[in-house]
Amino acid sequence: MSIKKILLITQNEPIYIYDSILSLLKELPNDWEITHSIIGNQNPTGKNLSFFEKVLRVLNTFGFIFFIQYSFLFIFSKLKNKNLKRLMKKNNVELIETPEGINHPDIYNKINNQDFDLAISIAGTEIFKPKLFNLFKFGIINIHTSDLPKYRGLMPVFRAMQKGENKIGISLFLVDEGIDTGRILLKEYLDIKEKSMHQVIKQSKKIAVAIILNLLEDIETKILLDLKNKNEKGSYFSFPNRRDILEFRDRGKRFF
């Protein structure tokens, strides 16, 4: 049995991402293997800011109570040694460092030399240039926690809750030149009524892993499905502002 090779592209985020990657590693089908990984730094704002600038922006936007609650979860996760780079090394997954970004020619050559079958992006922080797509037999797949094409962009769970949705989609799609615009391969739904954003994100990550595993079981068939992502009916959002936070709370929504 030939083993198909995966490049995992993610970020070193301990609260939500670590457990998802751990589950994925444990439950991969026998004919698949994550051999290499690119792990970016956590960037909740979507911008190239310093650590202090990121902290200040989150504090100013979401408020002191959110900041304390999130900081507690972050520190608690760190104390439990939820470090993705350490997890990769423990599972003999080679790390590919990208100090100048994944689209740099040196990274392109490293990826090209590995003959990967698939790239999986989970909470990746970069936009891929088209030349990368052809380096993978099955392309690059990405998970987005929204009913695509609605709520493309940053923080889709927050946006869905802000707008009063009763459910969200967890969409697995084939990456193309746009932002969350690729052809949808699989989609599941999650009821979000009476749940905090933290609860929704935790549950959606478990569903996301199950969807990825579903695809891997029969990728040759599922990659050819014809469920289209209708861009003209979509919506795109960037990092929220204080008015967005107020609308979120006015609907009775909770972060934690």
Side-chain angles (χ1 to χ4, degrees), residues 141 172-174 183-187 215 222-223 225:
I141 59 172
L172 179 64
F173 66 95
L174 199 60
R183 181 161 59 91
I184 299 170
L185 302 172
L186 294 169
K187 186 187 290 187
L215 178 77
K222 293 187 176 73
I223 211 79
L225 293 180

Side-chain angles (χ1 to χ4, degrees), residues 6 34 45-46 91 107 112 117 125 127 141 147-148 167 177 185 190 192 194 213-214 247:
I6 296 172
I34 298 174
T45 66
N91 286 271
I107 304 303
N112 190 36
D117 293 283
T125 58
I127 297 173
I141 59 172
D147 188 7
L148 286 176
K167 66 178 181 179
E177 296 90 344
L185 302 172
L190 173 64
I192 64 174
E194 309 301 326
L213 294 171
N214 185 354
E247 182 181 348

